[in-house]
Amino acid sequence: KFTVTWTTSAPADTAVIIGSQTFGSSTLTTSHSVTIRGTKKATYSYTVRSTDALGQTVTAGPFSITL
């Protein structure tokens, strides 16, 4: 497993995108954390995305992690 964390200046939802799968929560917060479970030893590429109550979306990445 691995955990991705980030912060936003305004409350927003939480999404980590790996390939075609999205993990996260629709709860609006400024402190974001997503734990990806069930992973095998490999290199994963992911993007983080947050959308606030006004519909403004911020995306960062891609990032990679090797387990």
Side-chain angles (χ1 to χ4, degrees), residues 2-7 14-16 23-25 29-36:
F2 65 95
T3 301
V4 180
T5 60
W6 71 98
T7 60
T14 301
V16 173
F23 306 88
S25 170
T29 184
T30 58
S31 180
H32 307 273
S33 180
V34 177
T35 298
I36 309 297

Side-chain angles (χ1 to χ4, degrees), residues 12-62:
D13 66 6
T14 301
V16 173
I17 303 154
I18 301 174
S20 62
Q21 293 184 297
T22 301
F23 306 88
S25 170
S26 61
T27 301
L28 301 183
T29 184
T30 58
S31 180
H32 307 273
S33 180
V34 177
T35 298
I36 309 297
R37 300 181 189 282
T39 54
K40 298 178 180 178
K41 289 186 178 183
T43 298
Y44 294 87
S45 178
Y46 65 92
T47 302
V48 299
R49 182 185 69 213
S50 291
T51 303
D52 68 15
L54 299 175
Q56 299 171 329
T57 299
V58 175
T59 302

